Amino acid sequence: MNGRPGSYYANPIVDVPAVSEREKNAHPEYYGNNIWPDPEEKNVEGFEEAFKDLGRFVFRAMYLQEGDDLEPTIVPSPSLASGLYIRTRGGDLTKVSIPPDCLAFQTGEALEIATGGKLRATPHCVRAGGKLSAQKISRETFALFLQPNTDQYLSTSETFGQFSKKIFQEHYKAST
């Protein structure tokens, strides 16, 4: 909320996770309460309500059928090079093209483990184009992460919580 690029994480469905204190203490990275900016804070008025509305919509959209409403106006990207890129099985970095009337799902490493490798995780990144016209465009994304409870087993020997701790330590070089 400081005007610099970054990420904001919150649960759009519940403000206070309904898990035991033991689970909250063991996995604070997943079970913290939502923290919202002051509703009167300049430039973020209505943020909490808008975030929750969008989150509930995305969550429900996975189960909706096409309605009779008008299609939204799509603003084209100012740079054809901007967007989501994935690393192919052959090692190439490839731009992903998701049609405007589609919803994309990306599987992660936890699902790869839980399915015994039947579904594979995809390394990815987001690139921004360099055109001057792109400097006045902000890239906004609303990712909805679906994951198992921390005590659910991904394999016969590892829970999602154990897996997450290992991944966080590997990527962030700090204990969680």
Side-chain angles (χ1 to χ4, degrees), residues 80-98 106 122-127:
L80 295 177
S82 295
L84 175 66
Y85 286 76
I86 61 169
R87 181 81 53 200
T88 66
R89 304 276 184 260
D92 296 328
L93 194 61
T94 304
K95 186 172 189 275
V96 176
S97 296
I98 303 166
Q106 180 175 335
T122 307
H124 67 285
C125 65
V126 175
R127 288 187 168 174

Side-chain angles (χ1 to χ4, degrees), residues 89-115:
R89 304 276 184 260
D92 296 328
L93 194 61
T94 304
K95 186 172 189 275
V96 176
S97 296
I98 303 166
D101 60 345
C102 294
L103 182 63
F105 291 89
Q106 180 175 335
T107 60
E109 190 176 353
L111 189 58
E112 181 174 331
I113 292 168
T115 62

Side-chain angles (χ1 to χ4, degrees), residues 15 28 40 49 51-52 68 71-72 97 125 131 135 150 155 157 170 173:
D15 279 324
E40 306 300 318
E49 182 181 342
F51 186 97
K52 288 179 175 179
D68 295 326
E71 291 293 316
S97 296
C125 65
K131 286 186 177 180
Q135 292 178 353
T150 53
S155 67
S157 62
E170 195 175 288
K173 304 288 188 244

Side-chain angles (χ1 to χ4, degrees), residues 39-51:
E40 306 300 318
E41 186 174 337
K42 188 176 178 178
N43 297 320
V44 292
E45 300 91 345
F47 177 79
E48 178 181 351
E49 182 181 342
F51 186 97

Side-chain angles (χ1 to χ4, degrees), residues 12-141:
I13 309 303
V14 296
D15 279 324
V16 179
V19 298
S20 71
E21 283 302 313
R22 185 180 140 276
E23 282 297 298
K24 281 185 182 184
N25 292 333
H27 302 283
E29 65 276 12
Y30 285 111
Y31 296 126
N33 296 346
N34 285 343
I35 299 171
W36 300 106
D38 184 317
E40 306 300 318
E41 186 174 337
K42 188 176 178 178
N43 297 320
V44 292
E45 300 91 345
F47 177 79
E48 178 181 351
E49 182 181 342
F51 186 97
K52 288 179 175 179
D53 286 347
L54 181 58
R56 285 189 289 263
F57 172 76
V58 171
F59 187 74
R60 285 194 310 264
M62 292 183 282
Y63 304 100
L64 294 178
Q65 294 181 355
E66 187 175 333
D68 295 326
D69 297 338
L70 297 174
E71 291 293 316
T73 302
I74 297 171
V75 178
S77 173
S79 169
L80 295 177
S82 295
L84 175 66
Y85 286 76
I86 61 169
R87 181 81 53 200
T88 66
R89 304 276 184 260
D92 296 328
L93 194 61
T94 304
K95 186 172 189 275
V96 176
S97 296
I98 303 166
D101 60 345
C102 294
L103 182 63
F105 291 89
Q106 180 175 335
T107 60
E109 190 176 353
L111 189 58
E112 181 174 331
I113 292 168
T115 62
K118 290 184 176 87
L119 296 176
R120 302 275 309 273
T122 307
H124 67 285
C125 65
V126 175
R127 288 187 168 174
K131 286 186 177 180
L132 288 177
S133 61
Q135 292 178 353
K136 295 183 180 181
I137 302 291
S138 155
R139 179 191 173 273
E140 307 299 331
T141 303

